[in-house]
Amino acid sequence: MSTTLTPLTTADAETLVAAARRAARAAGVAVSVTVLDAGGHLLAFLRDDSAVLISGETSTRKAYTALQLSAPTADLVDLVKPDGPFHTLTTALDRPLLFIAGGVPIHRDGKLVGAIGLGGGAPEQDHSFATAALTELAR
């Protein structure tokens, strides 16, 4: 029996953005939020008016990194340190990856369907905002 995988939709992306922003606002942090589909295409992006400008770029790179490696960027930080097994990965590809917490892959039925990235807070905050958004989507 085959099952049909439901892709990440624009409505899902809007839910993720809204939930991430609620979590960030509750912490008093202005953020940028990026949601990518399984192909790495932009589904949603929002930068709070007072978020630092670079947060837009970092949120997008975190989402892309989480998507490409199918892992939270928080779990990858040690792998790219000078003695880590992926230490050259940060510069090996045409599109730069960003190994800072705040990017989280999105799975449905065990399959990768997209990723969310947050920028603007401390890395641990960005990660918590992203995971809060995933919790909201799962409801």
Side-chain angles (χ1 to χ4, degrees):
M1 178 176 214
S2 74
T3 58
T4 303
L5 180 65
T6 303
L8 201 62
T9 65
T10 302
D12 293 333
E14 290 170 352
T15 297
L16 288 162
V17 169
R21 290 187 72 216
R22 272 194 304 278
R25 272 196 301 258
V29 179
V31 294
S32 290
V33 185
T34 301
V35 179
L36 304 176
D37 69 11
H41 305 285
L42 184 65
L43 276 181
F45 172 81
L46 188 134
R47 185 180 67 81
D48 288 329
D49 292 337
S50 59
V52 294
L53 293 178
I54 198 170
S55 68
E57 184 68 23
T58 61
S59 70
T60 301
R61 289 188 185 193
K62 288 176 187 183
Y64 181 76
T65 303
L67 179 71
Q68 292 301 310
L69 297 172
S70 190
T73 54
D75 296 349
L76 303 171
V77 174
D78 288 340
L79 298 177
V80 295
K81 290 183 177 178
D83 61 345
F86 294 161
H87 72 278
T88 61
L89 195 54
T90 56
T91 57
L93 305 173
D94 290 338
R95 186 162 177 192
L97 303 174
L98 187 58
F99 294 89
I100 299 173
V104 180
I106 304 166
H107 293 92
R108 278 199 177 133
D109 300 321
K111 303 288 186 191
L112 183 65
V113 295
I116 183 172
L118 271 285
E124 299 77 22
Q125 289 177 309
D126 290 343
H127 179 77
S128 71
F129 305 150
T131 57
L134 289 180
T135 300
E136 179 72 23
L137 182 64
R139 291 184 180 171

